[in-house]
Amino acid sequence: MPELPDLLYIQKYLRREVCGRTITSVHVKEPIVLRIAVDVKFEDALQGTTINVCALHGPFIRLELSNNLDLIMNLMLAGKLQHRKLKEKAESYLCFSLSLDDGSNLNLCDEQKMAKAYLVKRGEFSAIPKYREQGIDILSPEFTLQTFRELASKHSRKQVRVFINDHTILSSIGNAYADEILFDAKIHPKTFVNKLSPHEVEQLYNSILSVMKWGIEKVEAAAE
């Protein structure tokens, strides 16, 4: 499952390579991954539109289209986005492909067919499970130590791993990075939040920031 550092790299790549491109045609192979909340066929709704914005919201990748629609993808456990350029081989397990005006293709691939692609009117997210329930962005300026202390107090009866792994509280820390964060903070994952000392809460907050920074740098270095 792609975690926040992976998704940030995907966002950066899409902004560089895909934003501004027009979708010239659409091929759907596995319609099971589609969730369409507009009265237009998926292919017809996307063809001829321009991808204006790529943004993240927790585990969701949002492509803002020029026709006042949003295409929002959740890659789930095994989904992949492939930007296939000319003469490159397509990934296996294609779910759908967006042909772009530069001859490349943006492909959603998933062997397990668990990935989801939601097509909705701009800003109408009620049809997307867990989209509106995302917690505070842990990379935002609003994620301060004081805010983290308040959240810890509010959710004091949770085990600490459950607490930091809950995307409705913190958006977003996946399983792998939760383990790294707790190891770095030297806190047992089954410790209840209300058993943490003020110093341990601060250490946990600092570990979230430092481990995510480390992960982002590692993903960037591996991808470039």
PDB file of all heavy atoms in Angstrom, residues 107-135:
ATOM      1  N   ASN A 107      -2.227   5.217 -16.502  1.00  0.00           N
ATOM      2  CA  ASN A 107      -2.896   3.940 -16.291  1.00  0.00           C
ATOM      3  C   ASN A 107      -3.099   3.661 -14.804  1.00  0.00           C
ATOM      4  O   ASN A 107      -2.169   3.840 -14.001  1.00  0.00           O
ATOM      5  CB  ASN A 107      -2.061   2.796 -16.875  1.00  0.00           C
ATOM      6  CG  ASN A 107      -1.870   2.916 -18.370  1.00  0.00           C
ATOM      7  OD1 ASN A 107      -2.657   3.569 -19.052  1.00  0.00           O
ATOM      8  ND2 ASN A 107      -0.824   2.298 -18.884  1.00  0.00           N
ATOM      9  N   LEU A 108      -4.285   3.199 -14.456  1.00  0.00           N
ATOM     10  CA  LEU A 108      -4.521   2.663 -13.120  1.00  0.00           C
ATOM     11  C   LEU A 108      -4.496   1.150 -13.231  1.00  0.00           C
ATOM     12  O   LEU A 108      -5.272   0.561 -13.999  1.00  0.00           O
ATOM     13  CB  LEU A 108      -5.869   3.132 -12.566  1.00  0.00           C
ATOM     14  CG  LEU A 108      -6.245   2.558 -11.184  1.00  0.00           C
ATOM     15  CD1 LEU A 108      -5.260   3.016 -10.117  1.00  0.00           C
ATOM     16  CD2 LEU A 108      -7.657   2.943 -10.788  1.00  0.00           C
ATOM     17  N   CYS A 109      -3.594   0.514 -12.475  1.00  0.00           N
ATOM     18  CA  CYS A 109      -3.406  -0.930 -12.548  1.00  0.00           C
ATOM     19  C   CYS A 109      -3.568  -1.531 -11.151  1.00  0.00           C
ATOM     20  O   CYS A 109      -3.115  -0.945 -10.165  1.00  0.00           O
ATOM     21  CB  CYS A 109      -2.011  -1.270 -13.075  1.00  0.00           C
ATOM     22  SG  CYS A 109      -1.582  -0.445 -14.632  1.00  0.00           S
ATOM     23  N   ASP A 110      -4.209  -2.672 -11.082  1.00  0.00           N
ATOM     24  CA  ASP A 110      -4.402  -3.324  -9.787  1.00  0.00           C
ATOM     25  C   ASP A 110      -4.769  -4.778 -10.002  1.00  0.00           C
ATOM     26  O   ASP A 110      -5.863  -5.101 -10.472  1.00  0.00           O
ATOM     27  CB  ASP A 110      -5.497  -2.616  -8.981  1.00  0.00           C
ATOM     28  CG  ASP A 110      -5.616  -3.145  -7.558  1.00  0.00           C
ATOM     29  OD1 ASP A 110      -4.929  -4.126  -7.218  1.00  0.00           O
ATOM     30  OD2 ASP A 110      -6.404  -2.583  -6.788  1.00  0.00           O
ATOM     31  N   GLU A 111      -3.853  -5.673  -9.625  1.00  0.00           N
ATOM     32  CA  GLU A 111      -4.088  -7.104  -9.780  1.00  0.00           C
ATOM     33  C   GLU A 111      -5.304  -7.556  -8.975  1.00  0.00           C
ATOM     34  O   GLU A 111      -6.075  -8.421  -9.399  1.00  0.00           O
ATOM     35  CB  GLU A 111      -2.841  -7.868  -9.326  1.00  0.00           C
ATOM     36  CG  GLU A 111      -2.973  -9.376  -9.404  1.00  0.00           C
ATOM     37  CD  GLU A 111      -1.722 -10.092  -8.928  1.00  0.00           C
ATOM     38  OE1 GLU A 111      -0.784  -9.413  -8.472  1.00  0.00           O
ATOM     39  OE2 GLU A 111      -1.688 -11.339  -9.011  1.00  0.00           O
ATOM     40  N   GLN A 112      -5.500  -6.955  -7.804  1.00  0.00           N
ATOM     41  CA  GLN A 112      -6.591  -7.378  -6.924  1.00  0.00           C
ATOM     42  C   GLN A 112      -7.907  -6.645  -7.203  1.00  0.00           C
ATOM     43  O   GLN A 112      -8.938  -6.976  -6.612  1.00  0.00           O
ATOM     44  CB  GLN A 112      -6.179  -7.160  -5.461  1.00  0.00           C
ATOM     45  CG  GLN A 112      -4.959  -7.973  -5.054  1.00  0.00           C
ATOM     46  CD  GLN A 112      -4.591  -7.762  -3.599  1.00  0.00           C
ATOM     47  OE1 GLN A 112      -5.402  -7.312  -2.789  1.00  0.00           O
ATOM     48  NE2 GLN A 112      -3.359  -8.093  -3.245  1.00  0.00           N
ATOM     49  N   LYS A 113      -7.850  -5.625  -8.054  1.00  0.00           N
ATOM     50  CA  LYS A 113      -9.035  -4.842  -8.429  1.00  0.00           C
ATOM     51  C   LYS A 113      -9.719  -4.209  -7.206  1.00  0.00           C
ATOM     52  O   LYS A 113     -10.940  -4.056  -7.161  1.00  0.00           O
ATOM     53  CB  LYS A 113     -10.046  -5.720  -9.198  1.00  0.00           C
ATOM     54  CG  LYS A 113      -9.454  -6.391 -10.429  1.00  0.00           C
ATOM     55  CD  LYS A 113     -10.440  -7.350 -11.054  1.00  0.00           C
ATOM     56  CE  LYS A 113      -9.760  -8.224 -12.099  1.00  0.00           C
ATOM     57  NZ  LYS A 113     -10.650  -9.265 -12.629  1.00  0.00           N
ATOM     58  N   MET A 114      -8.895  -3.836  -6.222  1.00  0.00           N
ATOM     59  CA  MET A 114      -9.425  -3.210  -5.012  1.00  0.00           C
ATOM     60  C   MET A 114      -9.345  -1.684  -5.067  1.00  0.00           C
ATOM     61  O   MET A 114     -10.008  -0.999  -4.279  1.00  0.00           O
ATOM     62  CB  MET A 114      -8.659  -3.705  -3.778  1.00  0.00           C
ATOM     63  CG  MET A 114      -8.907  -5.159  -3.447  1.00  0.00           C
ATOM     64  SD  MET A 114      -7.890  -5.705  -2.047  1.00  0.00           S
ATOM     65  CE  MET A 114      -8.493  -4.624  -0.747  1.00  0.00           C
ATOM     66  N   ALA A 115      -8.510  -1.152  -5.955  1.00  0.00           N
ATOM     67  CA  ALA A 115      -8.400   0.299  -6.084  1.00  0.00           C
ATOM     68  C   ALA A 115      -9.755   0.881  -6.466  1.00  0.00           C
ATOM     69  O   ALA A 115     -10.594   0.195  -7.060  1.00  0.00           O
ATOM     70  CB  ALA A 115      -7.348   0.654  -7.134  1.00  0.00           C
ATOM     71  N   LYS A 116      -9.952   2.136  -6.127  1.00  0.00           N
ATOM     72  CA  LYS A 116     -11.224   2.798  -6.429  1.00  0.00           C
ATOM     73  C   LYS A 116     -10.954   4.122  -7.128  1.00  0.00           C
ATOM     74  O   LYS A 116     -10.023   4.856  -6.770  1.00  0.00           O
ATOM     75  CB  LYS A 116     -12.019   3.058  -5.154  1.00  0.00           C
ATOM     76  CG  LYS A 116     -12.388   1.802  -4.363  1.00  0.00           C
ATOM     77  CD  LYS A 116     -13.402   0.966  -5.105  1.00  0.00           C
ATOM     78  CE  LYS A 116     -13.823  -0.264  -4.297  1.00  0.00           C
ATOM     79  NZ  LYS A 116     -12.745  -1.265  -4.175  1.00  0.00           N
ATOM     80  N   ALA A 117     -11.765   4.414  -8.134  1.00  0.00           N
ATOM     81  CA  ALA A 117     -11.699   5.700  -8.835  1.00  0.00           C
ATOM     82  C   ALA A 117     -13.098   6.312  -8.813  1.00  0.00           C
ATOM     83  O   ALA A 117     -14.046   5.739  -9.349  1.00  0.00           O
ATOM     84  CB  ALA A 117     -11.218   5.511 -10.272  1.00  0.00           C
ATOM     85  N   TYR A 118     -13.213   7.449  -8.157  1.00  0.00           N
ATOM     86  CA  TYR A 118     -14.495   8.128  -7.994  1.00  0.00           C
ATOM     87  C   TYR A 118     -14.560   9.321  -8.943  1.00  0.00           C
ATOM     88  O   TYR A 118     -13.625  10.136  -8.991  1.00  0.00           O
ATOM     89  CB  TYR A 118     -14.654   8.626  -6.563  1.00  0.00           C
ATOM     90  CG  TYR A 118     -14.552   7.546  -5.509  1.00  0.00           C
ATOM     91  CD1 TYR A 118     -13.318   7.194  -4.974  1.00  0.00           C
ATOM     92  CD2 TYR A 118     -15.682   6.879  -5.051  1.00  0.00           C
ATOM     93  CE1 TYR A 118     -13.209   6.211  -4.000  1.00  0.00           C
ATOM     94  CE2 TYR A 118     -15.591   5.891  -4.079  1.00  0.00           C
ATOM     95  CZ  TYR A 118     -14.348   5.559  -3.564  1.00  0.00           C
ATOM     96  OH  TYR A 118     -14.253   4.584  -2.603  1.00  0.00           O
ATOM     97  N   LEU A 119     -15.637   9.428  -9.675  1.00  0.00           N
ATOM     98  CA  LEU A 119     -15.865  10.587 -10.537  1.00  0.00           C
ATOM     99  C   LEU A 119     -17.043  11.359  -9.958  1.00  0.00           C
ATOM    100  O   LEU A 119     -18.167  10.848  -9.911  1.00  0.00           O
ATOM    101  CB  LEU A 119     -16.160  10.150 -11.970  1.00  0.00           C
ATOM    102  CG  LEU A 119     -16.260  11.292 -12.994  1.00  0.00           C
ATOM    103  CD1 LEU A 119     -14.923  12.025 -13.130  1.00  0.00           C
ATOM    104  CD2 LEU A 119     -16.701  10.758 -14.353  1.00  0.00           C
ATOM    105  N   VAL A 120     -16.755  12.579  -9.498  1.00  0.00           N
ATOM    106  CA  VAL A 120     -17.780  13.369  -8.801  1.00  0.00           C
ATOM    107  C   VAL A 120     -17.765  14.802  -9.319  1.00  0.00           C
ATOM    108  O   VAL A 120     -16.798  15.251  -9.939  1.00  0.00           O
ATOM    109  CB  VAL A 120     -17.533  13.378  -7.277  1.00  0.00           C
ATOM    110  CG1 VAL A 120     -17.554  11.964  -6.709  1.00  0.00           C
ATOM    111  CG2 VAL A 120     -16.208  14.066  -6.934  1.00  0.00           C
ATOM    112  N   LYS A 121     -18.830  15.515  -9.046  1.00  0.00           N
ATOM    113  CA  LYS A 121     -18.844  16.946  -9.326  1.00  0.00           C
ATOM    114  C   LYS A 121     -17.840  17.636  -8.403  1.00  0.00           C
ATOM    115  O   LYS A 121     -17.589  17.175  -7.290  1.00  0.00           O
ATOM    116  CB  LYS A 121     -20.244  17.527  -9.117  1.00  0.00           C
ATOM    117  CG  LYS A 121     -21.268  17.045 -10.134  1.00  0.00           C
ATOM    118  CD  LYS A 121     -22.628  17.683  -9.886  1.00  0.00           C
ATOM    119  CE  LYS A 121     -23.650  17.199 -10.910  1.00  0.00           C
ATOM    120  NZ  LYS A 121     -24.996  17.791 -10.665  1.00  0.00           N
ATOM    121  N   ARG A 122     -17.248  18.724  -8.899  1.00  0.00           N
ATOM    122  CA  ARG A 122     -16.224  19.433  -8.144  1.00  0.00           C
ATOM    123  C   ARG A 122     -16.658  19.707  -6.707  1.00  0.00           C
ATOM    124  O   ARG A 122     -17.676  20.322  -6.446  1.00  0.00           O
ATOM    125  CB  ARG A 122     -15.897  20.746  -8.845  1.00  0.00           C
ATOM    126  CG  ARG A 122     -14.863  21.644  -8.168  1.00  0.00           C
ATOM    127  CD  ARG A 122     -13.459  21.127  -8.356  1.00  0.00           C
ATOM    128  NE  ARG A 122     -13.263  20.594  -9.689  1.00  0.00           N
ATOM    129  CZ  ARG A 122     -13.110  21.345 -10.800  1.00  0.00           C
ATOM    130  NH1 ARG A 122     -13.129  22.658 -10.729  1.00  0.00           N
ATOM    131  NH2 ARG A 122     -12.936  20.758 -11.970  1.00  0.00           N
ATOM    132  N   GLY A 123     -15.875  19.163  -5.766  1.00  0.00           N
ATOM    133  CA  GLY A 123     -16.092  19.447  -4.359  1.00  0.00           C
ATOM    134  C   GLY A 123     -17.196  18.656  -3.688  1.00  0.00           C
ATOM    135  O   GLY A 123     -17.424  18.823  -2.491  1.00  0.00           O
ATOM    136  N   GLU A 124     -17.884  17.775  -4.421  1.00  0.00           N
ATOM    137  CA  GLU A 124     -18.966  16.987  -3.827  1.00  0.00           C
ATOM    138  C   GLU A 124     -18.430  15.602  -3.454  1.00  0.00           C
ATOM    139  O   GLU A 124     -18.440  14.675  -4.257  1.00  0.00           O
ATOM    140  CB  GLU A 124     -20.150  16.887  -4.793  1.00  0.00           C
ATOM    141  CG  GLU A 124     -20.807  18.235  -5.068  1.00  0.00           C
ATOM    142  CD  GLU A 124     -22.077  18.129  -5.881  1.00  0.00           C
ATOM    143  OE1 GLU A 124     -22.526  16.988  -6.158  1.00  0.00           O
ATOM    144  OE2 GLU A 124     -22.626  19.186  -6.261  1.00  0.00           O
ATOM    145  N   PHE A 125     -17.962  15.486  -2.211  1.00  0.00           N
ATOM    146  CA  PHE A 125     -17.217  14.308  -1.783  1.00  0.00           C
ATOM    147  C   PHE A 125     -18.024  13.325  -0.945  1.00  0.00           C
ATOM    148  O   PHE A 125     -17.460  12.360  -0.424  1.00  0.00           O
ATOM    149  CB  PHE A 125     -15.980  14.752  -0.986  1.00  0.00           C
ATOM    150  CG  PHE A 125     -15.108  15.734  -1.715  1.00  0.00           C
ATOM    151  CD1 PHE A 125     -14.735  16.929  -1.111  1.00  0.00           C
ATOM    152  CD2 PHE A 125     -14.664  15.475  -3.003  1.00  0.00           C
ATOM    153  CE1 PHE A 125     -13.915  17.840  -1.777  1.00  0.00           C
ATOM    154  CE2 PHE A 125     -13.865  16.377  -3.682  1.00  0.00           C
ATOM    155  CZ  PHE A 125     -13.487  17.563  -3.065  1.00  0.00           C
ATOM    156  N   SER A 126     -19.310  13.544  -0.801  1.00  0.00           N
ATOM    157  CA  SER A 126     -20.112  12.701   0.091  1.00  0.00           C
ATOM    158  C   SER A 126     -20.176  11.248  -0.385  1.00  0.00           C
ATOM    159  O   SER A 126     -20.406  10.345   0.436  1.00  0.00           O
ATOM    160  CB  SER A 126     -21.526  13.267   0.232  1.00  0.00           C
ATOM    161  OG  SER A 126     -22.166  13.345  -1.026  1.00  0.00           O
ATOM    162  N   ALA A 127     -19.970  11.013  -1.668  1.00  0.00           N
ATOM    163  CA  ALA A 127     -20.041   9.651  -2.200  1.00  0.00           C
ATOM    164  C   ALA A 127     -18.741   8.875  -2.002  1.00  0.00           C
ATOM    165  O   ALA A 127     -18.665   7.697  -2.376  1.00  0.00           O
ATOM    166  CB  ALA A 127     -20.380   9.691  -3.692  1.00  0.00           C
ATOM    167  N   ILE A 128     -17.742   9.507  -1.404  1.00  0.00           N
ATOM    168  CA  ILE A 128     -16.423   8.880  -1.263  1.00  0.00           C
ATOM    169  C   ILE A 128     -16.200   8.506   0.198  1.00  0.00           C
ATOM    170  O   ILE A 128     -15.993   9.389   1.037  1.00  0.00           O
ATOM    171  CB  ILE A 128     -15.309   9.827  -1.740  1.00  0.00           C
ATOM    172  CG1 ILE A 128     -15.598  10.310  -3.161  1.00  0.00           C
ATOM    173  CG2 ILE A 128     -13.957   9.131  -1.666  1.00  0.00           C
ATOM    174  CD1 ILE A 128     -14.628  11.345  -3.674  1.00  0.00           C
ATOM    175  N   PRO A 129     -16.253   7.217   0.529  1.00  0.00           N
ATOM    176  CA  PRO A 129     -16.075   6.804   1.925  1.00  0.00           C
ATOM    177  C   PRO A 129     -14.750   7.308   2.500  1.00  0.00           C
ATOM    178  O   PRO A 129     -13.700   7.191   1.880  1.00  0.00           O
ATOM    179  CB  PRO A 129     -16.092   5.273   1.844  1.00  0.00           C
ATOM    180  CG  PRO A 129     -16.862   4.967   0.600  1.00  0.00           C
ATOM    181  CD  PRO A 129     -16.515   6.071  -0.359  1.00  0.00           C
ATOM    182  N   LYS A 130     -14.825   7.906   3.691  1.00  0.00           N
ATOM    183  CA  LYS A 130     -13.680   8.366   4.493  1.00  0.00           C
ATOM    184  C   LYS A 130     -12.986   9.607   3.941  1.00  0.00           C
ATOM    185  O   LYS A 130     -12.030  10.086   4.557  1.00  0.00           O
ATOM    186  CB  LYS A 130     -12.655   7.234   4.675  1.00  0.00           C
ATOM    187  CG  LYS A 130     -13.221   6.016   5.394  1.00  0.00           C
ATOM    188  CD  LYS A 130     -12.167   4.978   5.627  1.00  0.00           C
ATOM    189  CE  LYS A 130     -12.760   3.765   6.372  1.00  0.00           C
ATOM    190  NZ  LYS A 130     -11.743   2.721   6.623  1.00  0.00           N
ATOM    191  N   TYR A 131     -13.454  10.155   2.832  1.00  0.00           N
ATOM    192  CA  TYR A 131     -12.775  11.329   2.271  1.00  0.00           C
ATOM    193  C   TYR A 131     -12.950  12.533   3.188  1.00  0.00           C
ATOM    194  O   TYR A 131     -11.978  13.228   3.515  1.00  0.00           O
ATOM    195  CB  TYR A 131     -13.316  11.648   0.876  1.00  0.00           C
ATOM    196  CG  TYR A 131     -12.505  12.687   0.140  1.00  0.00           C
ATOM    197  CD1 TYR A 131     -11.463  12.303  -0.697  1.00  0.00           C
ATOM    198  CD2 TYR A 131     -12.757  14.047   0.279  1.00  0.00           C
ATOM    199  CE1 TYR A 131     -10.697  13.242  -1.377  1.00  0.00           C
ATOM    200  CE2 TYR A 131     -11.999  14.997  -0.386  1.00  0.00           C
ATOM    201  CZ  TYR A 131     -10.977  14.586  -1.219  1.00  0.00           C
ATOM    202  OH  TYR A 131     -10.221  15.528  -1.874  1.00  0.00           O
ATOM    203  N   ARG A 132     -14.170  12.784   3.605  1.00  0.00           N
ATOM    204  CA  ARG A 132     -14.440  13.967   4.426  1.00  0.00           C
ATOM    205  C   ARG A 132     -14.079  13.750   5.894  1.00  0.00           C
ATOM    206  O   ARG A 132     -14.085  14.708   6.672  1.00  0.00           O
ATOM    207  CB  ARG A 132     -15.911  14.371   4.295  1.00  0.00           C
ATOM    208  CG  ARG A 132     -16.305  14.791   2.886  1.00  0.00           C
ATOM    209  CD  ARG A 132     -17.665  15.444   2.840  1.00  0.00           C
ATOM    210  NE  ARG A 132     -18.725  14.545   3.281  1.00  0.00           N
ATOM    211  CZ  ARG A 132     -20.012  14.870   3.278  1.00  0.00           C
ATOM    212  NH1 ARG A 132     -20.395  16.055   2.882  1.00  0.00           N
ATOM    213  NH2 ARG A 132     -20.918  14.000   3.686  1.00  0.00           N
ATOM    214  N   GLU A 133     -13.764  12.509   6.266  1.00  0.00           N
ATOM    215  CA  GLU A 133     -13.460  12.204   7.658  1.00  0.00           C
ATOM    216  C   GLU A 133     -11.961  12.222   7.961  1.00  0.00           C
ATOM    217  O   GLU A 133     -11.538  11.837   9.050  1.00  0.00           O
ATOM    218  CB  GLU A 133     -14.026  10.824   8.025  1.00  0.00           C
ATOM    219  CG  GLU A 133     -15.548  10.786   8.102  1.00  0.00           C
ATOM    220  CD  GLU A 133     -16.219  10.766   6.742  1.00  0.00           C
ATOM    221  OE1 GLU A 133     -15.632  10.195   5.796  1.00  0.00           O
ATOM    222  OE2 GLU A 133     -17.322  11.331   6.622  1.00  0.00           O
ATOM    223  N   GLN A 134     -11.139  12.655   7.011  1.00  0.00           N
ATOM    224  CA  GLN A 134      -9.708  12.705   7.259  1.00  0.00           C
ATOM    225  C   GLN A 134      -9.393  13.701   8.381  1.00  0.00           C
ATOM    226  O   GLN A 134      -9.993  14.767   8.482  1.00  0.00           O
ATOM    227  CB  GLN A 134      -8.959  13.110   5.988  1.00  0.00           C
ATOM    228  CG  GLN A 134      -8.995  12.071   4.887  1.00  0.00           C
ATOM    229  CD  GLN A 134      -8.256  10.806   5.249  1.00  0.00           C
ATOM    230  OE1 GLN A 134      -7.077  10.826   5.593  1.00  0.00           O
ATOM    231  NE2 GLN A 134      -8.961   9.679   5.181  1.00  0.00           N
ATOM    232  N   GLY A 135      -8.420  13.332   9.216  1.00  0.00           N
ATOM    233  CA  GLY A 135      -7.999  14.195  10.306  1.00  0.00           C
ATOM    234  C   GLY A 135      -7.030  15.263   9.848  1.00  0.00           C
ATOM    235  O   GLY A 135      -6.927  15.572   8.656  1.00  0.00           O
TER     236      GLY A 135
END
